[in-house]
Amino acid sequence: MMIAVNTEILIDVWQRLLTDPRKSWVLFERGTCVVLTTPDGDLAEQATEMLREFGPVQAGSPAGDFGVIDVKDADGWVVTGHHQDVLTYVAPQEPDGEDNFAIGLCGRAKRHQDGTELRVVHVEDKRGSAGPS
């Protein structure tokens, strides 16, 4: 059973986790974040296209794979997939267990929903916010 996580909580978590001042990112409704390493044009549109391709789960392919990261700056976990810039946050109360398999399945399911529903809830545009190199 997936429990919905409040959008404000998700934004706060990703702001704490993604501290690079040069990385723009887009958050989707279920907690999937697309990091835009080369942001261009409409960020929500760019992230939506990326998640449309790399979000949905396809059993037996790399799109079904996942990894689990135990994060230090927030309670919960980040679940990775087959694209390094598509990440999904899983809150402590969400998975049906605290083993990596249960956490990964939960995150993968959330990524799939975000990748098929494609509802953007927040855009963090960092273009121009980084100081001189």
Side-chain angles (χ1 to χ4, degrees), residues 107-122:
R108 184 178 74 173
K110 290 172 57 161
R111 184 188 80 222
H112 179 78
Q113 282 186 292
D114 278 336
T116 54
E117 295 169 357
L118 300 168
R119 288 197 278 267
V120 172
V121 295
H122 181 78

Side-chain angles (χ1 to χ4, degrees), residues 3 5 22 26 32-33 35 41 49 57 80-81 94 99 109 118 123 131 133:
I3 298 167
V5 178
R22 299 162 300 199
V26 176
T32 301
C33 180
V35 179
E49 287 306 311
V57 174
T80 62
E94 289 185 284
D99 59 280
L118 300 168
V123 175
S133 335

Side-chain angles (χ1 to χ4, degrees), residues 53-126:
E53 181 177 351
F54 294 103
V57 174
Q58 299 164 359
S61 76
D65 295 345
F66 59 81
V68 176
I69 301 169
D70 192 1
V71 294
K72 293 174 180 47
D73 295 328
D75 290 332
W77 306 269
V78 169
V79 175
T80 62
H82 62 299
H83 191 290
Q84 67 181 9
D85 296 322
V86 176
L87 309 165
T88 305
Y89 173 72
V90 175
Q93 70 274 16
E94 289 185 284
D96 292 330
E98 291 195 16
D99 59 280
N100 282 353
F101 188 70
I103 295 163
L105 286 178
C106 178
R108 184 178 74 173
K110 290 172 57 161
R111 184 188 80 222
H112 179 78
Q113 282 186 292
D114 278 336
T116 54
E117 295 169 357
L118 300 168
R119 288 197 278 267
V120 172
V121 295
H122 181 78
V123 175
E124 194 83 8
D125 188 347
K126 302 272 185 103

